[in-house]
Amino acid sequence: MAGNKPISRRQFVAGASAALAASAAAGEPKAGKEPGSSLAIHGGEKAVKTPLALARRWGKPELQQLEAMLEQDSLFWWKGPQGKLLSERFQQVCPLKHVHLCSSGTAAIHIAVAAAGIGPGDEVITTPLTDMGTVIGVLYQQAVPVFADVEPNTYNLSVADVERRITAKTKAIIAVHLLGNPCDIDGLKALADRRGLVLIEDCAQAWGARTKGRPVGTLGHIACFSLQDSKHITCGDGGVVASSDERFGPLLRGFGDKGFNRETGRHFEVFGTNYRMSEPQAAVAAAQMTRLESIAARRAQLGGLLAERIGRLPGIQPVHVRPEDRCVYWHHMFRIQPDVFRCDRAQFVKALIAEGVPASTGIMFGPLYEKPVFQRHAFFAGRWPVREFGLTAMDYTKHRCPEAEAIHQTGVRLPLDQRMSEDYILQVAAAIEKVARHFAA
Ligand SMILES: *Cc1c(COP(=O)(O)O)cnc(C)c1O
């Protein structure tokens, strides 16, 4: 728009001198200036004027909990009061009967996959737009991740595409609530029930999210959460796996505790590994749990505000949240419609960064199957036994999820945090609007 309009001499002089002054101040070369543009990347004033100063995410409650922990004689998980407190607080948010604490979200999912009885050659369907932790446990059980495509506007699993990829070997679905936005869990649950599959929920990015008033994690068979540092609440690293299903819930403990059965004292009846959470981690996480509801509510509010502002702009499609859901915005994301702009996505993001918005391109790592370890099928010392033994014919070099790939190509990711002010969010919205209007074709 602005770029197509003829520019008056006054505008030109004003724009050019502002650009000159700014570039002189910044000591930048004059190349790349665009007369008449007020974009920061062309020397104009930044749209985001308030620098982000975020307070620490921990303080008194964590310190008090750690002090209480230091009075204990043991820091081991078994019968640990910190772990007990964390489990109780977890159950207040996510009311599931069997709760097991573990060392990471990756560990939680591995425990869930093992409890679901998934073994060599079994197929587990999940999204390619996720953290590697979603599939590490699947691969370690010698099972085969099968990636299904996603919905264009929520970036979450498409129920129809999941159904299309079910085979006689499929045992489970891992549903990810990406970026804190609940996936179509009812659709996936109906499908899983119809086809006799286990539904595991990966809630690592979705602490406090709800769908139709129900907390995520309570809708599938097994729920997995992460307490890693980037997540809504944290103890540095940690995880929770939980289930109310009597087929799986009682199995969660043993697998993450080397196959111990500490209740009966019968050891190594099952094979497992050490994914235990220690009391110091549990103390910090228990304190963090008291902050969760306000963090989730605040993120939902700020994310909704940003989506509402930028959703009106031509060519900008913010992540779609179903009206009955609470998205807790682990990050914010929007897609740009390339034909609406005179710039490509990379230029759009560069301009945003110049405006003071710490934007990035794409969605985390992009489709997982495109990553070298999948392309080379090099999971175990460079080899993949299940394929060598003929238990799968999976070839990730031929795997395709077109919508997931398109989302990664057109997506712009923005950090979102409960400590941001509404004013800051409005400045971010203004920056996006400014860049979008400048580059409008
Ligand atoms: C962070 C994350 C994981 C893994 O959690 P860790 O605690 O880092 O192991 C799994 N799935 C998703 C979607 C995540 O964001």
Side-chain angles (χ1 to χ4, degrees), residues 14 30 85 90 104 138 225 229 268 271 302 311 324 331 343 363 372 403:
K30 280 165 209 150
L85 181 65
F90 175 86
S104 67
V138 175
F225 288 81
D229 194 64
F268 315 131
F271 184 59
L302 294 177
E324 65 273 25
H331 288 266
C343 67
I363 190 154
E403 199 58 59

Side-chain angles (χ1 to χ4, degrees), residues 104-106 109 130-131 133-134 176 202 204-205 226 228 231 238:
S104 67
T106 304
I109 296 165
T130 186
D131 183 80
T134 305
V176 178
D202 177 347
Q205 302 180 0
S226 166
Q228 186 268 336
K231 308 299 157 80

Side-chain angles (χ1 to χ4, degrees), residues 77 80-88 101 277 279 282-283:
W77 83 275
Q82 305 305 322
K84 185 165 178 281
L85 181 65
L86 172 56
S87 299
E88 285 165 5
L101 310 175
M277 178 186 279
E279 283 282 279

Side-chain angles (χ1 to χ4, degrees), residues 80-102:
Q82 305 305 322
K84 185 165 178 281
L85 181 65
L86 172 56
S87 299
E88 285 165 5
R89 288 185 178 168
F90 175 86
Q91 281 170 319
Q92 284 162 16
V93 173
C94 187
L96 294 170
K97 187 171 168 218
H98 303 271
V99 178
H100 181 67
L101 310 175
C102 54

Side-chain angles (χ1 to χ4, degrees), residues 113-334:
V113 166
I118 288 157
D122 292 344
E123 293 179 357
V124 177
I125 302 177
T126 193
T127 168
L129 298 182
T130 186
D131 183 80
M132 189 67 186
T134 305
V135 295
I136 286 173
V138 175
L139 288 159
Y140 266 102
Q141 291 308 104
Q142 307 302 330
V144 179
V146 173
F147 296 103
D149 213 346
V150 297
E151 301 170 334
N153 56 357
T154 67
Y155 327 141
N156 276 320
L157 275 177
S158 148
V159 178
D161 202 62
V162 170
E163 177 148 36
R164 208 165 59 75
R165 301 198 194 225
I166 293 174
T167 71
K169 291 178 173 178
T170 308
K171 287 283 165 60
I173 300 167
I174 302 180
V176 178
H177 304 288
L178 194 71
L179 305 176
N181 192 23
C183 68
D184 181 0
I185 196 73
D186 288 328
L188 290 171
K189 183 64 168 36
L191 175 62
D193 287 346
R194 193 150 34 86
R195 305 294 293 261
L197 308 176
V198 180
L199 180 60
I200 297 168
E201 285 184 77
D202 177 347
C203 309
Q205 302 180 0
W207 281 99
R210 296 192 197 122
T211 179
K212 297 176 194 160
R214 304 157 304 168
V216 298
T218 58
L219 306 156
H221 297 107
I222 311 176
C224 304
F225 288 81
S226 166
L227 289 159
Q228 186 268 336
D229 194 64
S230 71
K231 308 299 157 80
H232 295 68
I233 54 170
T234 183
C235 57
D237 261 315
V240 185
V241 57
S243 176
S244 290
D245 193 308
E246 291 304 326
R247 291 172 297 168
F248 312 121
L251 303 179
L252 301 177
R253 272 191 172 183
F255 186 78
D257 191 15
K258 295 193 206 166
F260 276 96
N261 187 332
R262 295 184 191 273
E263 274 104 2
T264 62
R266 287 202 301 270
H267 298 153
F268 315 131
E269 292 178 328
V270 296
F271 184 59
T273 180
N274 180 353
Y275 283 150
R276 296 187 293 240
M277 178 186 279
S278 70
E279 283 282 279
Q281 290 165 293
V284 174
Q288 287 265 299
M289 285 296 301
T290 64
R291 301 174 186 267
L292 174 58
E293 178 49 32
S294 75
I295 290 173
R298 177 78 176 158
R299 284 185 181 239
Q301 179 210 347
L302 294 177
L305 176 64
L306 185 55
E308 180 217 312
R309 290 298 164 115
I310 64 175
R312 308 176 195 151
L313 301 170
I316 303 276
Q317 301 162 321
V319 61
H320 176 70
V321 180
R322 293 178 178 86
E324 65 273 25
D325 290 353
R326 174 158 88 168
C327 172
V328 290
Y329 293 94
W330 184 56
H331 288 266
H332 212 294
M333 211 174 117
F334 62 85

